[in-house]
Amino acid sequence: MRNIIRNIVNIIWYVVVFEIVQLLTLSLVGGAWLMYQGKELKHALTTIQYQMMNNSTVLIVAYVLSSLLVVLLFAWKKWTPFKKAYLKSHPWAALFWVALMVFGTIIPSIWLQEQLGVEMPDGMERLLSQLMGSPFGYVAVGILAPLAEEVVFRGAILRTLLKMVDDKWHWVAILISALVFGAIHGNFAQFVHATLIGLLIGWMYYRTRSIVPGIVFHWVNNSIAYVLYNLMPNMREATLVEIFKGNQTNVYLALGFSFCIFLPCFFQLFSRLKDKV
């Protein structure tokens, strides 16, 4: 019982630390930038949020620094063990299927969000626009965010949860970690997508005990979102029916095609992601 309580406290602590590092970094970078511009400390503290929403450079710097600090802190405290064993097994074929599987999840995820009728809050929409609309934003969104989040939510939280349950109950640990991962995004629209991704990535971690497959999946997912955001700006607010020129049949065909990608990839990974390193 004592070990269970300790592990629960550790999981809560990992989430709290992740949030505190992000909030402190955003506040410090934003405040430092305003003071550099000659603003008084009191004025800087009261206008940080507004300035962060309207200055993509400051926002990107803050997110890059917070992600780096999270990774370094979790590595230094050994909350997430970093091992080379999985990479030494040369899992390149498996990682290829991981990357390919992402393409089979995008349209089904968008379709599900539309069926649930969820939309991203305006504040979060503006924040993501600042990050996604800048070339340097890819460093924060596409590279460092996947790394930091996998270190925390799979490498630390899911690893701890798996130690708390018998192997036959591993899906309980995966589900809890996925729900926490979804909830940390702070809005229902992202919660749906992040939770589904968390289930898939959690399963990959359970099979390998490595965060590498999750990092690859997360990186490809965020990279696709970044590329589509910038190459197809007129589609940002469009529904699937609008994207497919008002033809609902094409939407269903796209869903079917997505599953034709997803299912073979899943079966490939089921046989390839089998060694707990």
Side-chain angles (χ1 to χ4, degrees):
M1 179 61 69
R2 185 176 298 176
N3 286 337
I4 292 176
I5 294 174
R6 183 185 298 114
N7 285 329
I8 292 174
V9 170
N10 286 339
I11 290 169
I12 295 172
W13 177 240
Y14 299 149
V15 175
V16 170
V17 169
F18 177 74
E19 286 287 278
I20 287 176
V21 170
Q22 286 195 317
L23 291 174
L24 280 179
T25 306
L26 287 169
S27 299
L28 290 173
V29 171
W33 172 252
L34 290 173
M35 292 180 68
Y36 173 75
Q37 291 183 312
K39 307 291 184 182
E40 295 183 359
L41 178 61
K42 182 179 179 179
H43 178 72
L45 291 174
T46 57
T47 59
I48 283 176
Q49 184 176 5
Y50 173 79
Q51 292 293 331
M52 294 293 282
M53 290 294 185
N54 293 277
N55 191 317
S56 59
T57 301
V58 175
L59 190 63
I60 290 166
V61 170
Y63 269 92
V64 166
L65 288 177
S66 67
S67 295
L68 289 173
L69 286 172
V70 164
V71 173
L72 292 174
L73 179 61
F74 275 69
W76 174 55
K77 299 296 291 184
K78 294 183 171 58
W79 294 336
T80 299
F82 287 81
K83 300 177 181 179
K84 298 179 180 179
Y86 182 72
L87 288 176
K88 287 181 178 179
S89 68
H90 304 290
W92 318 126
L95 295 180
F96 165 79
W97 289 106
V98 169
L100 184 60
M101 186 166 66
V102 179
F103 291 87
T105 66
I106 296 171
I107 290 179
S109 178
I110 296 173
W111 180 84
L112 180 59
Q113 290 183 47
E114 290 182 359
Q115 301 311 301
L116 294 173
V118 295
E119 294 183 0
M120 195 175 297
D122 291 339
M124 182 60 67
E125 190 73 42
R126 290 198 303 272
L127 186 148
L128 285 176
S129 295
Q130 291 287 346
L131 291 171
M132 303 283 274
S134 169
F136 298 105
Y138 178 71
V139 178
V141 174
I143 299 175
L144 292 178
L147 176 60
E149 290 176 2
E150 291 311 308
V151 164
V152 175
F153 293 96
R154 258 59 66 176
I157 292 176
L158 180 53
R159 180 178 64 87
T160 303
L161 285 167
L162 287 171
K163 292 192 299 184
M164 296 170 59
V165 299
D166 292 333
D167 194 60
K168 64 181 179 180
W169 294 103
H170 65 275
W171 273 112
V172 175
I174 293 172
L175 176 60
I176 293 173
S177 68
L179 291 171
V180 173
F181 179 56
I184 207 72
H185 287 78
N187 64 87
F188 191 60
Q190 287 182 296
F191 171 82
V192 175
H193 182 64
T195 299
L196 294 174
I197 284 181
L199 289 172
L200 276 173
I201 297 178
W203 171 73
M204 296 178 197
Y205 180 84
Y206 166 73
R207 300 278 289 193
T208 63
R209 292 302 194 274
S210 171
I211 63 173
V212 172
I215 290 173
V216 172
F217 188 102
H218 210 149
W219 163 63
V220 175
N221 178 81
N222 288 17
S223 297
I224 292 173
Y226 180 87
V227 170
L228 291 178
Y229 184 90
N230 287 281
L231 290 185
M232 303 174 66
N234 57 323
M235 299 295 185
R236 293 172 187 172
E237 304 297 328
T239 63
L240 286 176
V241 173
E242 292 170 343
I243 291 173
F244 288 101
K245 301 180 179 179
N247 193 324
Q248 186 66 49
T249 301
N250 287 342
V251 174
Y252 293 136
L253 289 173
L255 285 169
F257 182 73
S258 296
F259 284 110
C260 287
I261 297 173
F262 177 82
L263 292 176
C265 292
F266 181 81
F267 287 124
Q268 283 287 334
L269 292 175
F270 190 82
S271 62
R272 294 176 184 274
L273 303 180
K274 55 186 179 182
D275 295 322
K276 300 182 180 66
V277 179

